[in-house]
Amino acid sequence: MSSNHYDASDITILEGLDAVRLRPGMYIGSTGPKGLHHILWEIVDNAIDEAANGFADKIEVRIYKDGSVSVEDNGRGVPTDIHPKTHVSGVQVVFTQLHAGGKFDEHNYSFSGGLHGVGASVTNALSKWLKVRVWRNGTTYEMQFHSYYDSAKKKYESGVPAGPLTDTREKTKKHGTFVHFMPDDSVFSTVDFQLDTVSHRLNELAFLNKGLTITLTDERITRNEFKAEGEGESETAEQLDLLGASEPYSVTYCYEGGISDFVSYLNDGKTKLYPKPIYYKGEKDGILVEFSIQHTSEFTENLFSFVNNIPTPEGGYHEMGFRGGITRMLNDYARDNKLIKDKDANFLGDDFREGLTAVLSVKMKNVQFEGQTKTKLGNPEARAPVDSVVVEGLRSIAAMPAFKKAFEEMVKKAQSAARVRIAARQAKDTARAKNSLDNLMLVGKLAACSGKKPELNELFIVEGDSAGGTAKQARIRQFQSILPLRGKPLNVEKKRLDQVLANEELRTLISALGAGIGNEFNPDKLNYHKVIILSDADQDGFHIRCILLTFFFRYMRPLVSAGHVYIGMPPLYKVYKQNGSVEEYAYDDNELQEKIDKVGRGYLIQRYKGLGEMSAEQLWETTMDPARRNLTQVTLEDAVAAENMITMLMGDKVEGRKEFLNRNANFNKTDSFMDRVKLKKEDGNEEE
Ligand code: TSJ
């Protein structure tokens, strides 16, 4: 009857995995590209934990030609001994029990949880097959799982062990874990791992885990093919051989400086106020706090925060603690050093944050993520410990002679920021007064909707008066507002708030949105929950889109991080028949071919050079009708990439821009700020 016992425990285990397959969204958010990558991150997180505990310093990720992926670390190896209660190996537990993570790591330093942290069993449940190899105790263990349709039982079996964990008797000194799996194409809408998504995230993880070496190899593409994408030309055959260019594309990330290198990377191409980023790591009340800062000559704040290695673009209590700590310490420092007169007021936090680039990485248990995109830390208990570690860290660094100059520069910058703040306040009051006078004029520009529910309302920012006019005719007045833009708005990169407010086009936009600007931006006051940029699919249109995104990113970041910004995608072509019997729209060249094939003989093609060429009816059915249009949401999933892109595209550092555009022109993906902007670069344009 002992085999019965085994079966029984086996069945409960399988029921767990069946639940995952039944409702994958509950465990990984979606079955789209995000969900697909999620099951890879589940595995990577396990290896990262092992590294964070100090048992591994190398992680290798490999994407194979058949679309499968593997992750290997050089840690202790997943425990292989038989669990006394369940009578199965540790490896089997990890891959067949939901949330098995906690079983082994009670005594370890593990902060998995939150967005990821559903466990490796979820990856197993959603894979066609999964193979594990563990090097441990001087030998090599192997185990396999698979998922298949059982026609006798008329149901899907998920993540079933093909056999028990076996000792292959292959002696080795090696230790570590290797997991190789094939995502199930009957679960996911796409099983195509995106090289740029995977490499961005691994790069980020390398920054966040100082000294950890992460290698990514993509066997689907050679080094030369990768290079050619970036440069538009390739080497001769002999040159290729010398470079090993026919080898698979491979990249290694390792940062001895950790998040301090991260800050240097973010500030690449900017003018720094002091040469080296400041770095500190401390712990308080069970919360680990690591931060690095460096000021530049720019005017906006750039804080990239993470909780348990997960980006938190919507901020939260850790950011509040961080900002509070900086303000408190620097005001104290300024007073102690007589940089503020006894009778003068303290600096405001904003003054210290002008031109600040910072990375904050917090590690804690029981994280609560909140916000529109669940990327905001909702644990109030994080605030005070972060604040106090920041104060303690900055104090100890300020006491070091080598950093004296840096702190003096910070206060100097704050002094100039404070001066401008006072001037800007006056400019803003004028702008406000002017705006109220302008309101009548504004009505002329903005065709406001009649509905009063911001969550339903949409604001279309349309390039050009003529397209603006068409959009006004096409819209549904109840919930769609149209704001036509005359010419190009001001490029706000490197502009101060007072200069931004002096620009009429942007003022109109700010007042239409109704939520303020800069640090006073309040998303609760927004008049529109969808802000849709509608520009032509040409160079100028791309540039206008970049300018608007830069404006939102620099001065209304919560608008972007909460997912309120969208890019409207007008079609590039219409394929039709003379007699009017067929009309098909195509949004890119591939689709054009599809539509031509679909329409058959005797078709005509119209190429739209701009929105202005469309009739109201065409604009409505292709671009504005919620049921048929093709909107792309701009999100801050990759705020770091967005930051780099903006510095590169919109700033004054020209070098690198062309290569950057070429490199990114071929990716055609769906959900980050970058990608949106990448779409337009289809023609490989450099603007300006
Ligand atoms: F979860 C997983 F199986 F998918 C996976 C786990 C995948 C990969 C690539 C690595 C790992 C992993 C797990 N690497 N290292 C570990 N370590 C343990 O599981 C481990 C080893 C020893 C002990 C111990 O207390 O002796 C504890 C743990 C958690």
Side-chain angles (χ1 to χ4, degrees):
M1 287 288 110
S2 77
S3 69
N4 262 347
H5 176 80
Y6 181 86
D7 283 353
S9 64
D10 217 31
I11 285 163
T12 45
I13 286 165
L14 292 178
E15 271 170 3
L17 295 194
D18 281 354
V20 176
R21 186 170 279 262
L22 213 56
R23 281 185 247 286
M26 293 260 294
Y27 299 87
I28 56 165
S30 79
T31 52
K34 273 182 94 167
L36 174 75
H37 289 84
H38 196 133
I39 67 168
L40 169 58
W41 305 135
E42 282 302 331
I43 303 299
V44 170
D45 282 355
N46 281 279
I48 293 279
D49 271 358
E50 187 73 353
N53 286 319
F55 297 109
D57 63 2
K58 275 195 185 60
I59 298 178
E60 284 182 44
V61 176
R62 185 175 287 265
I63 309 176
Y64 299 81
K65 278 209 165 80
D66 63 2
S68 59
V69 244
S70 68
V71 182
E72 176 175 341
D73 71 17
N74 63 346
R76 293 165 296 177
V78 175
T80 49
D81 30 307
I82 302 292
H83 202 275
K85 289 229 178 71
T86 58
H87 303 278
V88 301
S89 65
V91 172
Q92 183 163 338
V93 171
V94 164
F95 286 100
T96 55
Q97 303 235 21
L98 287 173
H99 296 102
K103 289 250 144 62
F104 290 107
D105 50 23
E106 273 159 39
H107 308 288
N108 285 286
Y109 207 46
S110 173
F111 292 103
S112 312
L115 279 190
H116 307 152
V118 288
S121 59
V122 168
T123 304
N124 183 29
L126 302 176
S127 294
K128 271 222 140 54
W129 49 259
L130 183 147
K131 304 173 186 180
V132 203
R133 198 168 295 143
V134 174
W135 299 280
R136 201 179 152 95
N137 310 326
T139 184
T140 308
Y141 301 88
E142 282 181 357
M143 185 164 184
Q144 290 194 30
F145 303 84
H146 51 185
S147 304
Y148 54 91
Y149 185 74
D150 186 326
S151 44
K153 290 191 197 158
K154 292 213 168 65
K155 67 184 278 289
Y156 224 92
E157 297 287 354
S158 304
V160 187
L165 181 76
T166 46
D167 183 348
T168 65
R169 306 287 167 112
E170 261 180 66
K171 298 246 176 305
T172 181
K173 287 198 178 113
K174 191 172 168 171
H175 50 92
T177 305
F178 169 87
V179 175
H180 185 184
F181 65 95
M182 175 69 86
D184 195 329
D185 61 4
S186 67
V187 171
F188 296 100
S189 63
T190 168
V191 286
D192 192 20
F193 285 100
Q194 294 289 318
L195 178 57
D196 69 326
T197 304
V198 176
S199 62
H200 272 120
R201 175 63 179 154
L202 293 178
N203 189 190
E204 186 169 272
L205 283 168
F207 276 130
L208 291 166
N209 295 275
K210 202 191 319 206
L212 172 64
T213 301
I214 305 182
T215 299
L216 167 65
T217 304
D218 189 344
E219 295 189 347
R220 298 170 305 179
I221 157 176
T222 64
R223 285 188 209 181
N224 185 52
E225 281 158 352
F226 180 81
K227 228 167 157 259
E229 268 183 29
E231 289 171 4
E233 49 190 83
S234 41
E235 275 88 350
T236 63
E238 298 92 78
Q239 283 171 317
L240 288 186
D241 269 6
L242 287 172
L243 298 167
S246 48
E247 297 284 303
Y249 169 73
S250 183
V251 59
T252 297
Y253 305 109
C254 178
Y255 302 99
E256 291 304 333
I259 58 170
S260 167
D261 289 349
F262 203 161
V263 168
S264 298
Y265 170 81
L266 290 165
N267 278 347
D268 184 32
K270 298 182 180 174
T271 308
K272 286 79 140 171
L273 298 194
Y274 39 95
K276 277 195 157 177
I278 282 166
Y279 169 85
Y280 189 76
K281 182 176 181 173
E283 189 265 342
K284 182 123 210 279
D285 300 338
I287 299 186
L288 245 118
V289 182
E290 205 182 349
F291 66 91
S292 180
I293 65 169
Q294 187 180 38
H295 286 79
T296 70
S297 62
E298 317 240 318
F299 304 114
T300 49
E301 175 198 11
N302 244 320
L303 168 59
F304 294 92
S305 65
F306 298 84
V307 176
N308 300 346
N309 291 330
I310 298 164
T312 43
E314 290 187 283
Y317 287 98
H318 56 326
E319 286 198 0
M320 289 186 219
F322 177 74
R323 293 194 169 103
I326 291 198
T327 308
R328 185 150 63 90
M329 186 278 168
L330 286 177
N331 266 318
D332 289 355
Y333 176 88
R335 276 208 191 274
D336 292 348
N337 292 277
K338 307 277 178 238
L339 301 165
I340 305 180
K341 295 198 194 95
D342 285 345
K343 58 177 178 19
D344 283 357
N346 272 350
F347 290 111
L348 295 190
D350 287 352
D351 301 336
F352 291 121
R353 295 196 293 270
E354 196 181 277
L356 172 68
T357 299
V359 172
L360 169 67
S361 172
V362 168
K363 295 197 171 130
M364 60 185 289
K365 304 241 175 190
N366 307 319
V367 291
Q368 248 359 92
F369 286 109
E370 297 176 346
Q372 298 266 352
T373 55
K374 294 270 172 286
T375 56
K376 177 179 184 173
L377 181 65
N379 302 60
E381 73 274 18
R383 183 177 184 161
V386 175
D387 184 313
S388 80
V389 171
V390 168
V391 170
E392 149 202 309
L394 291 179
R395 283 203 180 127
S396 69
I397 292 163
M400 295 155 56
F403 284 97
K404 188 170 186 322
K405 186 96 196 308
F407 280 80
E408 284 168 3
E409 288 294 329
M410 285 184 227
V411 176
K412 239 201 259 167
K413 174 101 178 166
Q415 279 163 339
S416 106
R419 239 176 279 127
V420 175
R421 162 166 57 85
I422 292 156
R425 160 70 53 199
Q426 283 157 1
K428 207 166 170 184
D429 289 345
T430 332
R432 266 208 205 100
K434 227 176 159 189
N435 264 347
S436 54
L437 292 176
D438 272 358
N439 264 343
L440 288 175
M441 233 184 75
L442 205 135
V443 176
K445 282 191 208 166
L446 174 75
C449 58
S450 56
K452 295 285 172 246
K453 292 207 176 104
E455 47 307 348
L456 301 179
N457 290 349
E458 304 180 340
L459 175 67
F460 285 86
I461 306 172
V462 185
E463 172 182 359
D465 271 342
S466 118
T470 316
K472 282 180 197 178
Q473 287 177 292
R475 70 175 176 146
I476 291 188
R477 162 184 299 276
Q478 276 82 353
F479 70 99
Q480 295 181 317
S481 296
I482 310 296
L483 178 65
L485 289 180
R486 306 192 170 126
K488 286 187 188 172
L490 178 75
N491 177 4
V492 301
E493 184 70 356
K494 292 180 179 279
K495 293 289 188 306
R496 283 177 196 274
L497 189 57
D498 52 330
Q499 296 169 293
V500 172
L501 289 167
N503 182 269
E504 190 174 317
E505 209 84 57
L506 293 178
R507 267 215 318 271
T508 312
L509 176 56
I510 298 161
S511 73
L513 291 173
I517 180 167
N519 292 301
E520 285 165 26
F521 181 80
N522 178 1
D524 298 338
K525 291 195 180 158
L526 272 175
N527 291 328
Y528 304 94
H529 280 201
K530 283 204 169 82
V531 178
I532 302 162
I533 302 173
L534 217 52
S535 59
D536 292 338
D538 60 11
Q539 279 205 19
D540 273 357
F542 169 44
H543 196 208
I544 286 172
R545 186 193 292 181
C546 285
I547 287 175
L548 287 169
L549 288 175
T550 302
F551 170 66
F552 292 139
F553 187 73
R554 294 284 184 229
Y555 287 99
M556 297 187 178
R557 195 167 301 183
L559 185 75
V560 187
S561 50
H564 293 306
V565 181
Y566 296 80
I567 308 283
M569 307 288 273
L572 291 178
Y573 307 98
K574 180 167 80 171
V575 182
Y576 64 104
K577 288 205 169 154
Q578 189 84 65
N579 64 11
S581 62
V582 202
E583 242 188 27
E584 293 280 343
Y585 296 101
Y587 292 81
D588 59 43
D589 289 353
N590 290 337
E591 207 179 358
L592 175 63
Q593 195 53 54
E594 272 169 40
K595 293 292 157 82
I596 289 174
D597 295 344
K598 180 171 169 192
V599 168
R601 294 157 47 106
Y603 59 85
L604 295 165
I605 296 176
Q606 181 182 2
R607 187 184 201 293
Y608 295 112
K609 292 195 205 71
L611 294 160
E613 289 182 356
M614 273 185 237
S615 69
E617 197 192 341
Q618 289 173 331
L619 190 63
W620 167 254
E621 41 180 57
T622 60
T623 318
M624 292 175 69
D625 176 5
R628 284 176 286 181
R629 70 192 177 194
N630 200 349
L631 284 191
T632 2
Q633 191 177 29
V634 179
T635 66
L636 278 190
E637 235 158 277
D638 206 336
V640 174
E643 167 59 37
N644 274 335
M645 180 204 73
I646 285 177
T647 308
M648 190 97 72
L649 291 177
M650 310 307 282
D652 46 24
K653 192 188 167 213
V654 181
E655 121 214 16
R657 194 177 293 176
K658 184 171 175 208
E659 207 245 294
F660 182 87
L661 286 173
N662 283 333
R663 161 77 51 227
N664 292 292
N666 291 329
F667 299 121
N668 224 350
K669 288 205 327 342
T670 45
D671 48 11
S672 81
F673 194 164
M674 274 295 277
D675 302 328
R676 230 68 19 270
V677 180
K678 279 173 197 163
L679 286 178
K680 112 309 15 319
K681 280 163 306 148
E682 220 67 278
D683 355 49
N685 310 316
E686 309 135 71
E687 20 54 76
E688 283 181 90

